């Protein structure tokens, strides 16, 4: 389908007594504006469930936690996945469902593998605040251990 779109030609019919560059430019702008506003255009990336259903493919879903939504969105964008987020508030703790096209199951699997690897790496890493507080504690310990010795040498000999 993509090849048909890229290889298609556009025919423009303009009635004018004298064709100038400005008239041609206006006609092209009008055609491009109509193409942009075309209602049959499919959305890509993050979208609503209704827009996802317009792709005429089976839809599957998975559950995701609240903290991971932003990180998952970035990973899905990287892999070019069309998906929709839905918040399920029927239970006490709201849960989020990610709907995606059924044929994207393999891509979703790869994206989640990368996504979970990133999350594990983040969890293993110490936060900068923790490292800073540990460094401050070490500094205080060294400061206490260090002896303060003051010697006065005036250079006067007898």
């Amino acid at each position: 389908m993509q090849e048909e779109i890229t290889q298609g030609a556009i025919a423009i019919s303009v009635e004018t007594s004298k064709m100038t560059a400005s008239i041609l430019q206006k006609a092209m702008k009008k055609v491009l504006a109509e193409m942009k506003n075309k209602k049959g255009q499919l959305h890509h990336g993050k979208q609503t469930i209704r827009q996802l259903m317009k792709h005429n493919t089976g839809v599957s879903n998975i559950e995701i936690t609240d903290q991971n939504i932003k990180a998952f969105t970035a990973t899905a964008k990287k892999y070019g996945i069309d998906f929709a987020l839905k918040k399920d508030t029927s239970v006490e703790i709201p849960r989020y469902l990610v709907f995606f096209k059924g044929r994207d199951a393999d891509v979703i699997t790869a994206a989640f593998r990368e996504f979970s690897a990133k999350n594990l790496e983040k969890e293993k890493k110490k936060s900068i605040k923790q490292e800073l507080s540990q460094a401050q504690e070490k500094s205080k310990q060294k400061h206490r251990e260090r002896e303060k010795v003051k010697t006065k040498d005036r250079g006067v000999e007898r």
Side-chain angles (χ1 to χ4, degrees), residues 10 12 14 23-34:
I10 300 172
I12 301 173
V14 180
I23 292 176
L24 181 62
Q25 183 181 14
K26 287 177 185 176
M28 290 299 295
K29 282 184 180 179
K30 191 171 186 179
V31 168
L32 291 174
E34 285 182 26

Side-chain angles (χ1 to χ4, degrees), residues 54-75:
K54 287 183 182 177
H55 288 260
N56 293 330
T57 59
V59 176
S60 302
N61 69 352
I62 52 174
E63 188 175 334
I64 192 168
T65 60
D66 184 26
Q67 300 100 4
N68 298 334
I69 291 174
K70 292 271 187 190
F72 173 74
T73 303
T75 306

Side-chain angles (χ1 to χ4, degrees), residues 4-51:
E4 294 172 5
I5 293 171
T6 56
Q7 293 178 358
I10 300 172
I12 301 173
S13 165
V14 180
E15 291 183 26
T16 180
S17 59
K18 186 176 181 183
M19 181 62 105
T20 63
S22 63
I23 292 176
L24 181 62
Q25 183 181 14
K26 287 177 185 176
M28 290 299 295
K29 282 184 180 179
K30 191 171 186 179
V31 168
L32 291 174
E34 285 182 26
M35 287 175 60
K36 190 174 183 180
N37 293 333
K38 188 176 178 184
K39 290 185 180 181
Q41 200 172 29
L42 296 176
H43 295 272
H44 296 289
K46 186 177 177 182
Q47 52 195 299
T48 64
I49 294 175
R50 181 174 286 160
Q51 291 169 338

Side-chain angles (χ1 to χ4, degrees), residues 21-153:
S22 63
I23 292 176
L24 181 62
Q25 183 181 14
K26 287 177 185 176
M28 290 299 295
K29 282 184 180 179
K30 191 171 186 179
V31 168
L32 291 174
E34 285 182 26
M35 287 175 60
K36 190 174 183 180
N37 293 333
K38 188 176 178 184
K39 290 185 180 181
Q41 200 172 29
L42 296 176
H43 295 272
H44 296 289
K46 186 177 177 182
Q47 52 195 299
T48 64
I49 294 175
R50 181 174 286 160
Q51 291 169 338
L52 190 63
M53 296 296 272
K54 287 183 182 177
H55 288 260
N56 293 330
T57 59
V59 176
S60 302
N61 69 352
I62 52 174
E63 188 175 334
I64 192 168
T65 60
D66 184 26
Q67 300 100 4
N68 298 334
I69 291 174
K70 292 271 187 190
F72 173 74
T73 303
T75 306
K77 186 177 180 181
K78 177 181 174 185
Y79 279 87
I81 299 170
D82 297 335
F83 67 99
L85 290 172
K86 178 73 174 159
K87 184 177 182 180
D88 183 19
T89 56
S90 61
V91 290
E92 280 184 30
I93 302 170
R95 60 186 191 147
Y96 292 86
L97 298 172
V98 178
F99 291 89
F100 58 93
K101 294 189 282 188
R103 66 176 182 226
D104 287 347
D106 295 333
V107 179
I108 284 282
T109 305
F112 262 102
R113 235 183 257 131
E114 181 182 327
F115 172 67
S116 59
K118 277 184 183 178
N119 281 348
L120 284 174
E121 191 175 309
K122 281 183 183 178
E123 289 174 5
K124 288 180 182 178
K125 229 186 236 186
K126 287 185 179 178
S127 72
I128 295 173
K129 288 182 180 180
Q130 288 175 343
E131 289 180 8
L132 184 61
S133 64
Q134 287 177 356
Q136 286 175 342
E137 287 296 320
K138 285 182 182 179
S139 172
K140 287 179 183 177
Q141 291 294 329
K142 284 184 179 181
H143 184 68
R144 288 180 192 146
E145 292 172 2
R146 188 174 53 195
E147 293 180 358
K148 294 185 178 179
V149 178
K150 293 185 179 179
T151 57
K152 293 183 180 180
D153 187 20

